[in-house]
Amino acid sequence: MDELKKTPLYEEHVRLKAQMGPFGGWIMPIYYSGILEEHSRCRKEAAVFDISHMGEFTVKDALGSGIDRAVTQPVERIRPGQGRYGFILNEQGGIIDDLIIFRLEDNSLMLVVNAATVGKDMKVLGERMAPGSLADISSETAKLDIQGPLSREVLENVTGTGLKLPYFGCGYFTVKGRRALIGRTGYTGELGYEIYSDPDTAGFLWRELLKDARVSPAGLGARDILRLEMGYSLYGSDIDEGTTPLEAGLEYFINYDKEFIGREALIRQMKEGFEKKKIAFISDSKRSPRQHYRILSADKDVGEVTSGTYSPMLSAGLGMGYVEKGYEKIGSEITVAGTGGVRINARITGLPFYRNGSLKN
Amino acid sequence: MYYTKDHEWVKVEGNTATVGITEYAAKQLGDVTFVEKPVTGKDIKKGQVLCDVESVKAASEVYSPVSGKIAQVNGSMEEFPGIVSSLPESDGWIAKIEMSDPSEASQLMNAQQYGDYIRTIK
């Protein structure tokens, strides 16, 4: 096992006495004051997360690079200053990674990919794209997420400019005389921004943001609960190369009116049907479903939990998982069976679980 | 107060043992989000599982430090399971047990021994 990598803000986390833990090959803050406290501050005020472990690639000569066929996003139709969520698929339609593509300018793009998949993505995209068009800038790029209903106000104070970005919009802003890219995206269901910059600028921003008493540092523990309350998939848990966007209920993000690798497989799957389908479920107790718990329908084992948590907003356990075809109907009663005889009664539901976030404020 | 190696505490008043998890255990668990309700009236032996406790980080078991009959369960836990981690050694008690063999409690660690024990596992 390689040594865990440290983000440029590692010393800040140590200074704040964060509980650190491994994630995707990195040593990351799991929590500072407490997971539920940080979750609550993000839902009510604003929380800042160090997400520097995630990968960033740049693409030059966007339209001549061959990227349009390499990913599901209709890159040619993304307007400059906008981003789109989508996937890198294999020929079978399996998800190699999920990613956001920002069109920075007419002919330049930035791709934001998962931490653990940087190497794999570079290899796959490198094979699919024109030589020299793709560059991995992950090691010199820090990423801070500021999320929460007060995040716009707080970030405007620090940057000294108005942030009129629409949802999934992006733009360059000047912080301390240096350029940072800000995208209005996130993983929490709240109004929020993701800020890409050099490590020094990130350190400055981190400290400036935390001078505001309305901002709390938050770790990956809170982030996991926040994303699960929205039903956002986590790569490696809820989606991977063995699942297609159709099985994962993410067809909304697929544009069939363009060519992309994996498209034929998805169309075939639509015609022939799928063997498994992702479901979301909410339990009738505070007990937390956990990854790898079995999903039962009237005592028949029909699937497996891929993510689960206790949700403070819903005061109940909730989770996602995959079930055999025919058992995915919303409203169905299921039992989640864990280790040591744990049995949780749950009901299949639509997403998001939590519907009162400030995401589109 | 007496303590176990599994980080439960016991407070003995007459024949009644009040049981909970220690500050140390609470800190390791983080915010508790669910406590399985022990069954009142049930007989339990020392070392048997009293209940499951779940936190934002993990699920774990609480073992009964003494044998006897479960006489009372903390009613606050169902609605406010967090009390078990925020006030583990006072209002966050889990159950009261009518002991069948009160000598079991006195065989457990005292505060100083438990303090020494925690230092060895840190």
Side-chain angles (χ1 to χ4, degrees):
Chain A
M1 177 90 198
D2 294 336
E3 200 178 321
L4 294 171
K5 287 183 272 192
K6 291 175 182 171
T7 76
L9 295 169
Y10 177 80
E11 295 301 330
E12 300 288 342
H13 306 317
V14 171
R15 209 168 50 77
L16 291 166
K17 298 190 169 59
Q19 180 69 43
M20 307 292 286
F23 185 85
W26 294 72
I27 178 88
M28 298 299 295
I30 306 302
Y31 64 90
Y32 304 83
S33 59
I35 293 174
L36 294 188
E37 164 71 15
E38 291 162 26
H39 165 279
S40 163
R41 296 289 298 265
C42 182
R43 288 267 179 254
K44 289 177 187 155
E45 297 177 322
V48 60
F49 303 76
D50 175 13
I51 308 296
S52 300
H53 59 307
M54 285 187 78
E56 295 86 10
F57 305 156
T58 51
V59 177
K60 57 182 180 186
D61 185 22
L63 304 182
S65 66
I67 191 170
D68 205 57
R69 221 181 91 76
V71 298
T72 62
Q73 286 96 328
V75 174
E76 296 183 11
R77 276 179 273 152
I78 304 174
R79 290 198 303 274
Q82 275 198 327
R84 281 286 265 276
Y85 175 78
F87 310 96
I88 306 170
L89 301 181
N90 60 29
E91 295 285 356
Q92 293 75 45
I95 302 173
I96 293 173
D97 204 1
D98 64 337
L99 76 167
I100 291 174
I101 298 181
F102 290 110
R103 190 158 183 180
L104 306 177
E105 285 146 24
D106 248 1
N107 223 2
S108 76
L109 310 173
M110 189 173 79
L111 281 47
V112 185
V113 304
N114 286 292
T117 49
V118 166
K120 174 173 86 166
D121 294 347
M122 273 303 286
K123 183 170 179 291
V124 170
L125 292 176
E127 288 163 5
R128 294 179 183 182
M129 291 168 59
S133 57
L134 182 71
D136 177 5
I137 59 161
S138 307
S139 62
E140 67 250 35
T141 308
K143 177 173 183 279
L144 295 187
D145 292 9
I146 173 107
Q147 304 272 303
L150 304 183
S151 59
R152 181 187 290 130
E153 206 179 316
V154 163
L155 190 55
E156 281 179 344
N157 282 345
V158 172
T159 57
T161 47
L163 288 169
K164 303 234 181 304
L165 293 173
Y167 186 50
F168 265 78
C170 69
Y172 284 104
F173 293 82
T174 304
V175 186
K176 195 193 164 194
R178 282 188 246 200
R179 217 161 74 132
L181 179 71
I182 303 182
R184 192 179 149 189
T185 51
Y187 202 42
T188 63
E190 299 299 331
L191 171 68
Y193 303 86
E194 302 191 294
I195 310 164
Y196 307 86
S197 69
D198 65 83
D200 274 359
T201 306
F204 172 78
L205 261 172
W206 174 268
R207 289 183 291 272
E208 285 301 306
L209 286 167
L210 288 179
K211 280 180 191 164
D212 192 320
R214 298 169 295 179
V215 182
S216 311
L220 296 187
R223 185 171 156 94
D224 195 53
I225 299 178
L226 291 158
R227 69 99 188 167
L228 259 169
E229 287 182 330
M230 292 304 290
Y232 294 150
S233 293
L234 174 64
Y235 191 82
S237 293
D238 306 305
I239 50 175
D240 59 28
E241 290 186 40
T243 55
T244 70
L246 301 185
E247 293 163 344
L250 298 166
E251 55 272 14
Y252 171 80
F253 299 100
I254 304 294
N255 294 76
Y256 291 100
D257 56 352
K258 59 155 279 198
E259 278 303 317
F260 60 88
I261 291 170
R263 179 176 176 271
E264 310 319 317
L266 296 188
I267 289 171
R268 201 178 326 121
Q269 194 172 46
M270 265 195 292
K271 282 186 195 143
E272 294 173 4
F274 28 79
E275 299 298 308
K276 61 175 179 182
K277 185 81 180 173
K278 195 169 96 200
I279 57 160
F281 56 87
I282 182 158
S283 81
D284 67 357
S285 82
K286 290 187 160 76
R287 186 154 220 163
S288 168
R290 286 170 199 270
Q291 196 179 25
H292 305 312
Y293 279 13
R294 303 303 308 176
I295 299 173
L296 313 180
S297 172
D299 288 336
K300 181 179 187 284
D301 188 318
V302 295
E304 184 172 308
V305 174
T306 52
S307 283
T309 188
Y310 165 73
S311 162
M313 301 315 286
L314 287 96
S315 290
L318 52 79
M320 300 195 290
Y322 285 86
V323 293
E324 287 172 27
K325 183 181 175 176
Y327 292 92
E328 71 273 18
K329 195 165 166 268
I330 287 180
S332 304
E333 303 287 336
I334 56 169
T335 303
V336 175
T339 44
V342 168
R343 288 286 185 282
I344 305 168
N345 295 320
R347 183 172 36 84
I348 299 178
T349 179
L351 288 174
F353 294 106
Y354 175 63
R355 294 171 186 273
N356 298 321
S358 56
L359 183 64
K360 298 193 177 165
N361 283 10
Chain B
M1 294 263 273
Y2 298 100
Y3 303 86
T4 71
K5 286 190 169 179
D6 299 312
H7 309 290
E8 292 95 11
W9 57 265
V10 186
K11 190 172 156 197
V12 176
E13 286 160 303
N15 212 31
T16 305
T18 304
V19 177
I21 64 168
T22 64
E23 293 274 1
Y24 175 82
K27 192 141 189 271
Q28 299 298 310
L29 277 171
D31 304 312
V32 167
T33 53
F34 172 80
V35 185
E36 182 189 32
K37 206 172 165 190
V39 180
T40 311
K42 199 180 136 192
D43 286 316
I44 192 162
K45 285 205 163 52
K46 178 180 175 171
Q48 284 184 336
V49 175
L50 178 64
C51 62
D52 290 346
V53 172
E54 295 192 350
S55 74
V56 285
K57 289 193 276 180
S60 58
E61 291 173 332
V62 177
Y63 303 98
S64 185
V66 293
S67 305
K69 190 185 284 289
I70 300 170
Q72 201 185 334
V73 169
N74 186 347
S76 306
M77 292 187 313
E78 202 165 353
E79 199 175 349
F80 306 107
I83 198 170
V84 171
S85 48
S86 57
L87 296 167
E89 297 193 12
S90 55
D91 292 350
W93 61 277
I94 293 173
K96 290 183 193 289
I97 296 171
E98 288 304 327
M99 292 185 285
S100 55
D101 179 4
S103 72
E104 284 176 339
S106 51
Q107 290 159 22
L108 300 169
M109 290 180 275
N110 63 29
Q112 190 185 341
Q113 289 165 328
Y114 180 65
D116 291 343
Y117 169 66
I118 287 175
R119 274 187 288 280
T120 65
I121 56 175
K122 263 181 188 167

